[in-house]
Amino acid sequence: MLAIARTHARRFSDRFTDEVRFLRAWVERPLTTGAVAPSGAALSRLMASFVDADCSGPIVELGPGTGVVTDALVKRGIDEARLVLIEYSPDFCTLLEERFPRATVIQGDAYAMADVVEEAPGSLAGVVSSLPLFTRPLEARQKLIEDALELMTPGAPFIQFSYALVPPVPEVDGRYGVTRTSWVVRNVPPARVWLYRRVVEDEAVEETAA
Ligand SMILES: C[S@@+](CC[C@H](N)C(=O)[O-])C[C@H]1O[C@@H](n2cnc3c(N)ncnc32)[C@H](O)[C@@H]1O
C-alpha cells in the first residue's frame, strides 16, 4: 500500500517537475516551445496510435520535448531503439537521453531533418511531430512535409497535432493528402491530429484511432 502511494507521489512529482520545466522553456522561447505545458496522455496516445508497430524501420519524432509522446510510442510496443528524437532544446535533449537511453537523440533543427536523419529514402515507418508549425512560413512547413514523406515508407503517416481549425499545411493535389481526427477535448487546450500521406485524398475526413 505504502509502495503504491510512493509510486503515485513520484509520478505526480515527475509530472509537476516537467510542467515547470516546460513553462520555463516557454517563457524563454515561446515561439519555439509552442505550448505552456506538455501534451496530455489522451493526445499523446492518439498520436502514437497511428504508428504501425509492425511496420519495420525507424520512427522519427520531431519536437519530443519532455517525452510524453515518446513514452506513448514505447507503451504502444515500439522498441525504443527504433526512435530518432530531434529536439531543439539542449535541456530537453538531456532529459530525453536519461529517459530513453536506447533511442537516438539529436539536438538540432527538425526542419533540417533531410540532412540530419541518416536513413535511406522510403525507410522510415513514420514521423511524429509536435512542432509549432504555424510559427514558420508556409514554404518551410511544406518543405518539411515533402522531405519527411520522401524518407518514409509509402503510405506511412506524417503525424502532427495542432490546436488550429485549419490544417497546419494544406494538402497539395497530386503530391500529398491530409486527414484529421476529431478534437481531443480532454487536452488543454483541445487539439486534433493531422495525418499526411503521399496518397492524395479528395477532402479532409474524420479519422479514428487505429
Ligand atoms: C509544443 S512542444 C511539444 C513537446 C512534446 N512533444 C509534447 O507534446 O508535450 C514543441 C517542442 O518542439 C521543440 N521544437 C520547436 N522547434 C523545433 C525545431 N525547429 N527543431 C527541433 N525541435 C523544435 C520545442 O523545443 C518543444 O520541445
Side-chain angles (χ1 to χ4, degrees):
M1 196 67 175
L2 193 62
I4 294 173
R6 277 209 193 104
T7 307
H8 279 296
R10 200 173 47 242
R11 280 198 196 131
F12 177 79
S13 155
D14 284 353
R15 250 203 326 265
F16 180 72
T17 311
D18 279 358
E19 284 177 12
V20 172
R21 275 192 185 106
F22 220 93
L23 189 59
R24 195 182 312 133
W26 179 78
V27 169
E28 286 167 5
R29 298 176 304 274
L31 290 182
T32 309
T33 308
V36 292
S39 297
L43 176 60
S44 303
R45 265 199 313 271
L46 180 63
M47 291 182 77
S49 75
F50 291 109
V51 175
D52 181 354
D54 296 330
C55 179
S56 63
I59 292 144
V60 173
E61 189 183 348
L62 309 177
T66 54
V68 283
V69 179
T70 323
D71 190 49
L73 288 165
V74 171
K75 287 194 173 122
R76 181 161 167 73
I78 290 157
D79 184 352
E80 197 181 298
R82 291 175 61 195
L83 299 176
V84 179
L85 314 175
I86 308 180
E87 170 55 56
Y88 198 71
S89 154
D91 290 345
F92 286 161
C93 285
T94 305
L95 199 62
L96 292 163
E97 279 163 355
E98 282 165 22
R99 289 184 176 167
F100 307 99
R102 293 190 307 115
T104 303
V105 178
I106 299 172
Q107 193 275 315
D109 183 4
Y111 289 84
M113 73 171 284
D115 303 323
V116 171
V117 174
E118 291 171 348
E119 303 292 344
S123 63
L124 301 184
V127 174
V128 186
S129 166
S130 310
L131 297 174
L133 290 184
F134 284 106
T135 58
R136 294 290 182 112
L138 180 60
E139 296 72 41
R141 285 180 259 153
Q142 283 174 324
K143 181 176 182 308
L144 176 74
I145 300 277
E146 295 265 4
D147 287 352
L149 289 174
E150 186 68 30
L151 286 170
M152 288 158 63
T153 307
F158 180 101
I159 303 159
Q160 171 75 46
F161 91 80
S162 90
Y163 308 120
L165 291 169
V166 295
V169 181
E171 64 185 13
V172 176
D173 265 357
R175 294 164 87 104
Y176 51 84
V178 60
T179 58
R180 64 174 186 233
T181 66
S182 47
W183 291 98
V184 182
V185 288
R186 270 186 291 161
N187 199 69
V188 184
R192 69 196 330 180
V193 177
W194 303 86
L195 302 162
Y196 291 87
R197 291 191 180 91
R198 280 227 162 267
V199 181
V200 177
E201 314 211 17
D202 286 344
E203 56 186 359
V205 292
E206 295 286 326
E207 179 136 10
T208 51

